[in-house]
């Protein structure tokens, strides 16, 4: 006989993840867009699958084909355009099958989880072979030994995919192993998951991070002020109260946030939620995303207007990531 004690109940965030929309026709129906999306647009799903949680869908405007949140996730016929300079590996990351990337002197980055809660059409890793970068027991042992051999490393960055696709227990186990390495000072988690499923910011994980001797940093990814929802606000307030430092990095996207007004609203919304604006990235030139590009000149003009509108601490740094460079490159 099965009792309530033996039933395994998935956390709310995992239930929401399982219910994410993966069929463009379902998304179109939910948003009353039946006559506004072409079959050519829908065909782009074969270039990169659709995945969007229903919480994120709930933040979109019904009936608006050009809603800035929808544009980030809906397949678009423009993805078939082969633009010069746009490649499947813009940051030259795919040559190695290791889950560990050591691009910067004092930090190592781990492809901790390959999956994402949402598939953003502009993602620089939309062609990344995650199946070749599994982070299992062997990779974990390699990571710990690699760090021990290089005393210059003082920070570990969890990336993906999305590292918060891992369970609280899996993250806690890795954290315990990293805490045993005395040279480490910080652990940084880069995640978009809480923006699209705010219930991922669990109290249990916040408490574990608070207990760590390592400084714990969460870098979120929100591109538009509407993404800073009341539910996300509640979660970030909780995590900030547990001592976790919160940053945000955005990507400058044509039609989504390419105006000083929108980015000003975003910075203000982030700060209200205890999140500091950190980076504003120029688009990585990934194949299939050229229609999101904003010129460097246009980006600099937007940044100049942001400096006029906002206090300096709310102006994100405008940068570009260049393969092989030892740091991000300011524009």
């Amino acid at each position: 006989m099965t009792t309530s004690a033996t039933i395994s109940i998935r956390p709310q965030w995992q239930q929401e993840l399982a219910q994410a929309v993966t069929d463009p026709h379902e998304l179109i129906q939910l948003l009353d867009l039946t006559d506004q999306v072409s079959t050519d647009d829908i065909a782009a799903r074969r270039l990169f699958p659709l995945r969007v949680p229903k919480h994120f869908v709930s933040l979109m405007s019904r009936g608006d084909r050009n809603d800035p949140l929808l544009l980030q996730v809906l397949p678009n016929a423009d993805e078939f355009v082969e633009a010069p300079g746009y490649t499947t590996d813009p940051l030259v990351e795919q040559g190695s099958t290791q889950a560990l990337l050591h691009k910067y002197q004092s930090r190592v980055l781990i492809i901790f989880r390959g999956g994402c809660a949402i598939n953003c059409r502009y993602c620089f890793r939309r062609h990344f072979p995650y199946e070749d970068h599994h982070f299992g027991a062997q990779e974990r042992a390699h990571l710990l030994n690699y760090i021990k051999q290089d005393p210059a490393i003082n920070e570990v960055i969890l990336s993906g995919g999305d590292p918060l696709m891992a369970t609280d227990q899996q993250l806690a186990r890795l954290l315990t192993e990293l805490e045993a390495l005395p040279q480490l000072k910080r652990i940084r988690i880069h995640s978009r998951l809480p923006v699209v499923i705010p219930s991922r910011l669990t109290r249990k994980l916040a408490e574990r991070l608070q207990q760590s001797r390592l400084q714990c940093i969460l870098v979120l990814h929100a591109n538009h002020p509407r993404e800073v929802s009341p539910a996300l606000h509640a979660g970030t307030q909780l995590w900030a109260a547990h001592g976790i430092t919160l940053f945000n990095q955005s990507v400058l996207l044509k039609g989504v946030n390419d105006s000083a007004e929108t980015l000003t609203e975003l910075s203000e919304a982030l700060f209200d939620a205890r999140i500091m604006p950190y980076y504003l990235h120029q688009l990585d030139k990934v194949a299939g995303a050229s229609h999101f590009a904003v010129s460097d000149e246009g980006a600099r003009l937007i940044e100049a207007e942001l400096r006029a509108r906002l206090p300096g601490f709310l102006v994100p740094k405008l940068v570009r990531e260049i393969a092989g460079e030892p740091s991000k490159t300011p524009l």
Side-chain angles (χ1 to χ4, degrees), residues 16-325:
E16 293 184 59
L17 182 65
Q19 296 166 1
V21 178
T22 57
D23 184 346
H25 296 95
E26 180 184 358
L27 181 60
I28 290 165
Q29 185 175 22
L30 287 170
L31 295 172
D32 295 333
L33 295 170
T34 304
D35 299 325
Q36 299 186 48
V37 181
S38 71
T39 55
D40 289 340
D41 289 328
I42 294 174
R45 68 188 294 191
R46 71 172 184 259
L47 300 177
F48 190 40
L50 172 77
R51 174 175 292 276
V52 53
K54 290 182 179 177
H55 167 80
F56 198 69
V57 176
S58 75
L59 304 178
M60 300 174 187
S61 299
R62 297 173 69 90
D64 183 3
R65 172 65 177 80
N66 294 312
D67 178 88
L69 276 60
L70 177 64
L71 290 177
Q72 298 177 59
V73 299
L74 185 67
N76 190 311
D78 289 339
E79 296 175 44
F80 289 104
V81 174
E82 296 183 3
Y86 284 74
T87 72
T88 58
D89 187 16
L91 300 185
V92 193
E93 295 180 324
Q94 298 176 25
S96 170
T97 58
Q98 293 186 359
L100 184 151
L101 301 174
H102 192 178
K103 297 194 290 186
Y104 306 129
Q105 183 178 8
S106 63
R107 289 93 73 200
V108 291
L109 181 146
I110 310 168
I111 306 295
F112 190 57
R113 282 295 180 274
C116 286
I118 187 168
N119 284 352
C120 301
R121 312 308 296 181
Y122 55 86
C123 179
F124 72 97
R125 288 188 181 138
R126 59 181 280 168
H127 305 281
F128 194 81
Y130 288 112
E131 65 278 5
D132 296 334
H133 293 74
H134 173 68
F135 191 83
Q138 182 176 349
E139 289 76 19
R140 184 187 303 271
H142 172 70
L143 166 70
L144 298 175
N145 185 63
Y146 187 92
I147 294 173
K148 290 176 184 177
Q149 300 302 316
D150 189 345
I153 298 171
N154 61 23
E155 180 175 342
V156 172
I157 302 169
L158 303 187
S159 184
D162 197 308
L164 287 186
M165 292 284 279
T167 66
D168 290 354
Q169 294 81 1
Q170 290 166 335
L171 288 160
R173 178 189 171 191
L174 177 63
L175 184 59
T176 297
E177 293 174 326
L178 294 176
E179 287 166 339
L181 303 177
Q183 73 198 74
L184 292 182
K185 295 181 178 181
R186 293 179 295 275
I187 183 170
R188 195 186 335 161
I189 302 170
H190 283 229
S191 179
R192 184 150 166 79
L193 207 160
V195 174
V196 301
I197 303 179
S199 60
R200 181 63 190 95
L201 294 177
T202 63
R203 181 179 295 273
K204 179 180 178 181
L205 185 53
E207 290 173 348
R208 176 62 185 89
L209 294 173
Q210 183 182 41
Q211 295 165 4
S212 179
R213 72 163 187 85
L214 301 175
Q215 293 176 302
C216 299
I217 302 159
L218 174 64
V219 182
L220 295 168
H221 176 181
N223 295 318
H224 191 275
R226 252 195 283 146
E227 297 179 33
V228 189
S229 64
L232 176 62
H233 191 282
T236 55
Q237 292 283 353
L238 171 68
W239 274 42
H242 282 77
I244 292 107
T245 302
L246 302 169
F247 291 109
N248 183 71
Q249 52 185 356
S250 306
V251 180
L252 186 60
L253 301 167
K254 184 178 180 180
V256 174
N257 59 7
D258 56 334
S259 74
E261 181 178 4
T262 298
L263 290 173
T264 295
E265 291 180 19
L266 174 59
S267 283
E268 293 284 5
L270 289 167
F271 193 63
D272 286 346
R274 308 280 292 273
I275 307 165
M276 289 298 300
Y278 178 30
Y279 281 134
L280 176 62
H281 287 267
Q282 266 290 50
L283 180 74
D284 293 315
K285 292 188 174 183
V286 62
S290 61
H291 56 291
F292 286 113
V294 176
S295 69
D296 285 357
E297 180 183 4
R300 292 189 186 99
L301 289 173
I302 291 171
E303 185 196 32
E305 191 170 346
L306 286 178
R307 290 198 301 267
R309 288 171 175 250
L310 290 166
F313 61 86
L314 290 186
V315 179
K317 298 176 184 177
L318 178 63
V319 297
R320 168 177 283 115
E321 185 113 23
I322 299 175
E325 290 297 312

